Amino acid sequence: MNKQSPSLLIRNPAAVMSGRAEPAARLGKVDLRIEGGRIESIAPHLAPRPGERVIDASDCVVYPGWVNTHHHLFQNLLKAVPSGINADLQEWLAAVPYPRLARFTPELARTAARLGLAELLLSGVTTCADHHYLYHANGSTETGDLLFEEAESFGMRFVLCRGGALQAAGDHPGFSKTALQPETLDQMLADIERLKSRYHDGSAASMRRVVVAPTTPTFSLPPGMLPEVARAARRMGLRLHTHLSETKRYVDFCRERYGQLPVEFVADHEWLGPDVWFAHLVHLEPVEIAMLADTGTGCAHCPVSNARLGSGIARAPQMAAAGVPVSLAVDGVASNESGSMTNEAHFAWLVHRAAQGASATTIEEIVHWGSAGGARVLGLDAVATLAPGQAADLVLYDVNAPRFEGFHDLAVAPVAAGEPVRVRYSIVNGRVVVENGEIPGLDLEALRRDAARGVRELIDD
Ligand SMILES: [Zn+2]
């Protein structure tokens, strides 16, 4: 924990969401005291202590910090690439990220990470899990390290899902467009061991985690390697993550090639359990939802990216109702164009109601998925719920703006109204990391210049 953090009192917020599921989703009119990186107390009318920093939150709504469980930070220099803007997943993979993998120098990866982390932080994210797959047989592994460095400089919790491909390049719809050779299993596992010893902390309020995350079964590794990878992760005490069932085409491929549904297939290869979560899960049969629920396997629900690529709408409300741990994620911004969790939450609230009717989900449920739900799939049990003893990760949304006048219930405003809504303060592990709407120490002009240079280097030939 951050023992240097001074005691902090957040007084008189207009409303507070807890991150818990109903009926405990709201905390009413309370103040919050933060001490030593933890929430010390939550109660009405807490009196300031001598020397304590006090934040007047009377025109703010307090939310738990969002936990983004699936991202690809390097894609922050690949937004709205013309050759992929109207493409489906398979065409987009082959047109946008994969042809550029070898062009991502550590410098470009750092600029992209900085852009992405800044956007996440200013939308209320305090924990990010990045699925990072800029790896190949002859490439540098330092991009993984620099992600930890950048997240630390922003003061964010960071989970590196160490991705990559492990089989003949010809089988991956994206990788096959490159001249790159995938890593061997030994290469990948050696780097994961190295990352683990340097960064990983398995505690419940950890600031840094490493996860084993080959990019996509079975395109990125042969089926026979899946159990080997799962066993290696479990031996190391690391969680497992990957993409699954993002498109109908993927489900059809699994059925034709293996005679199984994707969740049945991964079940036979030791890839289900409370230490596993999958991104997308757009196309699932009821039997697969039951298998995920029975094993405690989680979902990173990415509704904007799934809509942008025309992949479909994951049945997240049905998964949650069945007992599947559901979390929210923005996915890479090359297939979203926004890395904002506020935007993701707003869209998630709307899209299930458009598809299934007004009773499909509630704002309280969306906030739960995006906070405590995310912490659950990442195994960060002391994070993302506003309660005494929990890590102090929370955001103060500024509702002092004309568009927030007239609300009868301000607690729901950031999700119901969506953006623009400004994060006035963000606090991670008791430390203020967004101060009056700005990230202290971030040179925005330099970042803009670096980003413009990066786009020029990565532009379509
Ligand atoms: Zn993804």
Side-chain angles (χ1 to χ4, degrees), residues 70 72 243 280 331:
H70 181 77
H72 307 288
H243 296 96
H280 305 304
D331 201 5

Side-chain angles (χ1 to χ4, degrees), residues 160-284:
L160 177 67
C161 304
R162 206 289 194 185
L166 287 170
Q167 79 172 30
D171 286 12
H172 191 286
F175 221 106
S176 61
K177 304 288 178 190
T178 76
L180 302 174
Q181 282 306 308
E183 294 176 297
T184 63
L185 180 59
D186 287 348
Q187 245 181 322
M188 178 188 269
L189 292 179
D191 189 47
I192 290 171
E193 285 272 15
R194 181 188 69 81
L195 290 163
K196 186 200 165 195
S197 65
R198 190 171 291 183
Y199 302 106
H200 182 76
D201 165 10
S203 69
S206 167
M207 293 295 289
R208 293 169 157 189
R209 288 274 183 92
V210 175
V211 168
V212 178
T215 310
T216 307
T218 60
F219 296 147
S220 308
L221 72 172
M225 242 180 232
L226 279 165
E228 271 189 88
V229 170
R231 284 175 208 165
R234 287 172 178 137
R235 255 195 323 270
M236 290 188 270
L238 303 180
R239 299 174 96 80
L240 289 158
H241 176 59
T242 192
H243 296 96
L244 199 72
S245 298
E246 184 169 353
T247 61
K248 176 79 167 48
R249 187 187 295 197
Y250 183 85
V251 177
D252 292 345
F253 164 83
C254 257
R255 282 191 140 136
E256 283 159 27
R257 179 75 66 93
Y258 306 110
Q260 286 182 304
L261 294 164
V263 174
E264 293 172 335
F265 176 80
V266 293
D268 281 356
H269 292 79
E270 303 177 30
W271 265 75
L272 290 185
D275 56 349
V276 184
W277 83 103
F278 296 116
H280 305 304
L281 297 172
V282 176
H283 299 278
L284 293 180

Side-chain angles (χ1 to χ4, degrees), residues 4-321:
Q4 286 76 45
S5 306
S7 173
L8 184 64
L9 180 62
I10 297 166
R11 289 189 93 183
N12 202 26
V16 184
M17 287 288 205
S18 71
R20 291 187 195 277
E22 289 283 41
R26 292 161 184 253
L27 292 176
K29 293 295 289 179
V30 291
D31 298 340
L32 299 96
R33 170 167 282 124
I34 293 164
E35 177 82 53
R38 300 265 176 173
I39 298 171
E40 186 197 276
S41 47
I42 300 177
H45 311 301
L46 292 172
R49 292 172 179 161
E52 188 171 52
R53 180 176 179 188
V54 178
I55 292 178
D56 172 11
S58 54
D59 49 9
C60 291
V61 173
V62 176
Y63 272 42
W66 297 109
V67 178
N68 173 32
T69 58
H70 181 77
H71 202 43
H72 307 288
L73 280 164
F74 79 91
Q75 293 180 9
N76 275 276
L77 290 172
L78 298 174
K79 299 171 194 170
V81 173
S83 56
I85 193 73
N86 296 316
D88 69 11
L89 174 69
Q90 188 145 333
E91 297 159 353
W92 172 90
L93 283 170
V96 181
Y98 276 97
R100 292 170 176 80
L101 285 193
R103 291 159 72 180
F104 266 91
T105 60
E107 189 189 4
L108 286 178
R110 190 181 292 279
T111 299
R114 214 169 266 176
L115 269 181
L117 291 167
E119 185 181 8
L120 290 168
L121 196 55
L122 292 171
S123 79
V125 173
T126 52
T127 300
C128 177
D130 195 58
H131 194 183
H132 183 61
Y133 56 86
L134 284 184
Y135 295 101
H136 54 92
N138 304 308
S140 159
T141 56
E142 70 182 286
T143 54
D145 297 78
L146 68 83
L147 292 175
F148 278 113
E149 288 168 26
E150 288 300 319
E152 186 173 6
S153 78
F154 283 93
M156 292 173 73
R157 282 184 211 281
F158 189 73
V159 177
L160 177 67
C161 304
R162 206 289 194 185
L166 287 170
Q167 79 172 30
D171 286 12
H172 191 286
F175 221 106
S176 61
K177 304 288 178 190
T178 76
L180 302 174
Q181 282 306 308
E183 294 176 297
T184 63
L185 180 59
D186 287 348
Q187 245 181 322
M188 178 188 269
L189 292 179
D191 189 47
I192 290 171
E193 285 272 15
R194 181 188 69 81
L195 290 163
K196 186 200 165 195
S197 65
R198 190 171 291 183
Y199 302 106
H200 182 76
D201 165 10
S203 69
S206 167
M207 293 295 289
R208 293 169 157 189
R209 288 274 183 92
V210 175
V211 168
V212 178
T215 310
T216 307
T218 60
F219 296 147
S220 308
L221 72 172
M225 242 180 232
L226 279 165
E228 271 189 88
V229 170
R231 284 175 208 165
R234 287 172 178 137
R235 255 195 323 270
M236 290 188 270
L238 303 180
R239 299 174 96 80
L240 289 158
H241 176 59
T242 192
H243 296 96
L244 199 72
S245 298
E246 184 169 353
T247 61
K248 176 79 167 48
R249 187 187 295 197
Y250 183 85
V251 177
D252 292 345
F253 164 83
C254 257
R255 282 191 140 136
E256 283 159 27
R257 179 75 66 93
Y258 306 110
Q260 286 182 304
L261 294 164
V263 174
E264 293 172 335
F265 176 80
V266 293
D268 281 356
H269 292 79
E270 303 177 30
W271 265 75
L272 290 185
D275 56 349
V276 184
W277 83 103
F278 296 116
H280 305 304
L281 297 172
V282 176
H283 299 278
L284 293 180
E285 296 294 332
V287 62
E288 294 179 288
I289 293 178
M291 291 171 78
L292 295 167
D294 287 349
T295 54
T297 308
C299 172
H301 177 39
C302 308
V304 175
S305 172
N306 299 153
R308 149 69 155 93
L309 291 169
S311 301
I313 304 170
R315 300 179 78 218
Q318 280 68 28
M319 281 189 249

